[in-house]
Amino acid sequence: MYMFNLTDAWILAAIYLAGAKGENAYAQIIENLPVLDRSLPSHAECKSAYDKFLYLGLIVADGDKTSLSLVAESLVKETHDKNTTQWICALEKQLAPYKLKSMCNRFEWQEDQYMRGVELFFAKKGE
């Protein structure tokens, strides 16, 4: 059984933020992770979240581009809060009831793109 967690909610928020800027490649999604007082999710955690989102239809994959489905966009906007931590926690609570018996296994998100996103995240954070 696969369940959603805080990291998944954090990544979903990043997909939303990147999409709002018209930036929906994996590196751009990592770059747009909201700043929380915790370590960045690993590539494996991001890939797991991606596969769960895809299985439930929360994201739309187009090659290496990823965007939220209308349902997910509504969910993210509904929980949005100026306090980032409260926003991510509220989003996690909305995802928590979903228990997945399976998940997709796609390969659009690659580790080299993840590493580029991490570089961009820290460059942006240092500004």
Side-chain angles (χ1 to χ4, degrees), residues 32-83:
N32 281 282
L33 279 165
V35 178
L36 295 177
D37 190 21
R38 55 185 311 201
S39 59
L40 285 175
S42 68
H43 172 63
E45 289 172 309
C46 292
K47 177 84 175 73
S48 174
Y50 175 92
D51 288 338
K52 288 186 262 185
F53 298 151
L54 197 57
Y55 183 79
L56 265 185
L58 295 177
I59 59 172
V60 177
D62 181 15
D64 71 336
K65 307 291 187 206
T66 304
S67 58
L68 295 180
S69 68
L70 293 176
V71 170
E73 189 166 337
S74 174
L75 175 73
V76 173
K77 285 181 179 178
E78 176 183 302
T79 58
H80 196 271
D81 191 303
K82 289 183 181 182
N83 180 304

Side-chain angles (χ1 to χ4, degrees), residues 1-6 8-9 12 52-53 55-56 58 75 78-79 88-102:
M1 182 81 55
Y2 301 98
M3 298 167 53
F4 286 102
N5 56 47
L6 188 65
D8 298 328
L12 194 65
K52 288 186 262 185
F53 298 151
Y55 183 79
L56 265 185
L58 295 177
L75 175 73
E78 176 183 302
T79 58
I88 304 305
C89 288
L91 191 51
E92 178 190 23
K93 285 181 184 174
Q94 292 294 318
L95 293 172
Y98 296 100
K99 312 273 190 277
L100 310 171
K101 292 182 180 180
S102 185

